Amino acid sequence: MPDTRDETLDLLSGLIAKAKRAGADAADAVLFDSTSISISYRLGKVEHVERSEGGDLGLRVFIGKRMAMVSSSDRKAATLDEIVERAVAMARVVPEDPFCGIADPAELATVLPELDLVDPAEPSTETLSERARAAEEAALAVKGVTNSEGASAGFGRSMAAMVASNGFSRVTGSTGSSISVSAIAGEGTAMETDYDHTSAVHAEDLDAPDSVGRSAGERAVARLGARKAATARVPVIFDPRVSRSLLGHLVGAINGGAITRGTSFLKESMGQAVFAPGIEVIDDPHIRRGLRSRPCDSEGVANRRRALIDDGRLTTWLLDLRSARQLALAPTGHAVRGTSGPPGASPSNVYLAPGSATPAELMADITDGFYVTGLMGSSVNGVTGDYSRGANGFWIERGRITYAVNEVTIAGNLKDMYKALVPADDLVHRYGMDAPTVRIDGMTVAGR
């Protein structure tokens, strides 16, 4: 296993050179290494400690418009020779793909921004255990909390490297730390559970363990006495913990793969108003210490901050090289990849820009409505935009949250939902895909 940046690049460069000598017209090679450690803690005791290490490399070769990929976790010289031989042999016989190929040198990123994605300090198991302990203790200290489903704390470090015959060469690293806890409130058949979680590239940016635990406990207690609401067509408020899922449906609908297949409800919406005027959805791969930041995409193509939605209008698809070529467009720097499959498109740090109203102001004029804090199951049709999901949360009466609600379904169509969406001013970057509290009028809540 390579120990240094130079050794890693030398290994991958050697694979490319061997592939070219074996008859490949072009090639690229990627390598991923990762280590992680996690602690599970419940009722005052460490339940589980796990440390894992893994690594994999992949070679992709092109002969004309034919492509083949081979991957392996074995990096012995004989195995690498076999990978080259097998990949080239496969590429000679597979069907042609007119859209395959590596990036043109003019499309490559020439300057990679420094994004501070590596925390130099690796926590000890004692430190992780203390984070989990503090989170669980804070949850159990909340009045009404009767039990714990446990707390966990973790740390991971990863390295990704790529070398291609177009001249691209890079090694990047990243880390991540996390704390989570799940609390139980009530007794017997009246028990309710909820959780909270924090994650960050650098441990110093995590929420305090006791605040995570306290939040989980308070959320669980607030759900006690939950009941079904009557079926009605009402305004729905999405808590930030669930409003971000609406962005997930958006980026899925504007993914280049879905557009080329014609399987997106937004396939005819480029340049059109998808949201109300003034709404912006941003994709920014260069946020410092961002959970999904990356200095370039996984094909070496330059990336940048983009307004996916600008003043309510759809401005771009998310494109890797292949989907860009199919659509006769320029790539947008959204390629991601592993070792055993071709690249695909995926967003980086995505967020819905905040509005000007507070969450309280958003719900102030609601006579009857539903405040959603949890979603479960999924029946979202990516072709039509039809939306239906199980939900829990709280009923709103005369502008105020009243009683807890569970076992209901909320339904609508994403095209209508996006145009009715109004964001609050409470955006916090927590997950890598983030939205503030949002209000959507005219949704159906199906209960009793």
Side-chain angles (χ1 to χ4, degrees):
M1 182 178 294
D3 296 320
T4 69
R5 172 191 175 95
D6 289 343
E7 288 176 346
T8 299
L9 294 178
D10 286 347
L11 185 153
L12 297 182
S13 297
L15 272 179
I16 300 299
K18 289 178 181 178
K20 296 276 284 184
R21 289 195 296 269
D25 297 321
D28 61 17
V30 293
L31 180 148
F32 302 98
D33 278 331
S34 64
T35 62
S36 64
I37 182 170
S38 62
I39 300 283
S40 297
Y41 193 95
R42 184 170 182 269
L43 298 178
K45 295 181 180 180
V46 173
E47 281 199 330
H48 187 66
V49 180
E50 181 178 354
R51 183 180 180 91
S52 64
E53 298 185 5
D56 203 7
L57 63 82
L59 174 68
R60 184 170 62 148
V61 302
F62 301 86
I63 298 178
K65 287 298 181 180
R66 294 180 169 89
M67 179 195 77
M69 294 188 67
V70 178
S71 64
S72 175
S73 58
D74 186 349
R75 301 174 190 178
K76 297 184 182 70
T79 302
L80 299 181
D81 289 341
E82 181 183 342
I83 286 173
V84 171
E85 180 180 346
R86 193 159 75 242
V88 172
M90 291 168 59
R92 294 186 190 280
V93 298
V94 297
E96 287 193 349
D97 178 353
F99 306 110
C100 76
I102 60 177
D104 184 275
E107 297 170 321
L108 296 174
T110 56
V111 177
L112 301 183
E114 172 50 54
L115 302 176
D116 196 14
L117 299 181
V118 177
D119 188 341
E122 180 170 332
S124 65
T125 54
E126 292 77 15
T127 297
L128 293 176
S129 180
E130 174 58 24
R131 290 173 186 168
R133 181 201 64 78
E136 185 184 56
E137 284 190 358
L140 290 170
V142 174
K143 185 178 180 179
V145 171
T146 54
N147 207 337
S148 165
E149 290 190 323
S152 65
F155 173 82
R157 184 183 301 276
S158 62
M159 182 269 288
M162 174 181 166
V163 174
S165 59
N166 56 13
F168 187 78
S169 177
R170 65 143 188 180
V171 176
T172 57
S174 63
T175 57
S177 291
S178 64
I179 304 168
S180 64
V181 60
S182 180
I184 299 172
E187 301 281 355
T189 59
M191 290 191 300
E192 295 287 348
T193 184
D194 214 321
Y195 73 97
D196 206 354
H197 168 87
T198 180
S199 58
V201 171
H202 286 247
E204 67 184 21
D205 296 329
L206 290 169
D207 293 340
D210 58 342
S211 72
V212 177
R214 185 165 54 252
S215 172
E218 291 171 350
R219 287 175 180 271
V221 171
R223 290 182 60 181
L224 290 173
R227 58 188 191 266
K228 285 187 178 180
T231 297
R233 188 176 176 88
V234 296
V236 172
I237 303 287
F238 288 78
D239 182 86
R241 197 160 63 160
V242 292
S243 62
R244 66 193 188 96
S245 67
L246 299 172
L247 296 182
H249 301 309
L250 171 67
V251 298
I254 65 172
N255 184 288
I259 301 305
T260 59
R261 293 189 299 271
T263 56
S264 167
F265 67 93
L266 294 179
K267 63 183 179 181
E268 304 295 339
S269 298
M270 179 57 65
Q272 297 181 14
V274 175
F275 290 77
I279 299 294
E280 284 194 340
V281 177
I282 305 299
D283 178 281
D284 189 352
H286 296 165
I287 293 177
R288 189 172 178 83
R289 296 191 180 188
L291 285 168
R292 300 171 66 166
S293 292
R294 47 194 188 231
C296 65
D297 81 359
S298 294
E299 294 178 299
V301 174
N303 57 12
R304 62 177 176 84
R305 182 184 186 276
R306 293 174 183 268
L308 307 180
I309 302 293
D310 187 11
D311 195 23
R313 295 184 177 276
L314 177 63
T315 68
T316 185
W317 310 127
L318 306 183
L319 302 173
D320 58 7
L321 283 169
R322 188 177 188 280
S323 59
R325 289 166 181 153
Q326 284 182 276
L327 296 169
L329 298 170
T332 59
H334 284 99
V336 296
R337 65 181 296 185
T339 59
S340 57
S346 181
S348 60
N349 302 294
V350 175
Y351 62 92
L352 171 65
S356 58
T358 67
E361 289 169 342
L362 274 193
M363 71 176 73
D365 67 339
I366 296 177
T367 302
D368 282 289
F370 184 33
Y371 186 95
V372 181
T373 59
L375 294 169
M376 61 211 76
S378 182
S379 178
V380 181
N381 189 318
V383 178
T384 65
D386 289 337
Y387 178 98
S388 176
R389 296 197 66 179
N392 57 58
F394 302 89
W395 199 250
I396 301 168
E397 293 179 346
R398 294 182 295 278
R400 295 183 179 276
I401 289 174
T402 54
Y403 58 88
V405 172
N406 62 10
E407 298 182 12
V408 299
T409 299
I410 56 174
N413 184 280
L414 286 167
K415 288 184 179 181
D416 301 326
M417 291 164 63
Y418 287 155
K419 287 188 176 180
L421 183 150
V422 179
D425 65 354
D426 58 340
L427 175 69
V428 177
H429 294 277
R430 296 191 65 191
Y431 302 102
M433 182 174 290
D434 297 285
T437 301
V438 303
R439 172 175 170 169
I440 300 177
D441 287 0
M443 294 193 69
T444 298
V445 177
R448 63 177 186 271

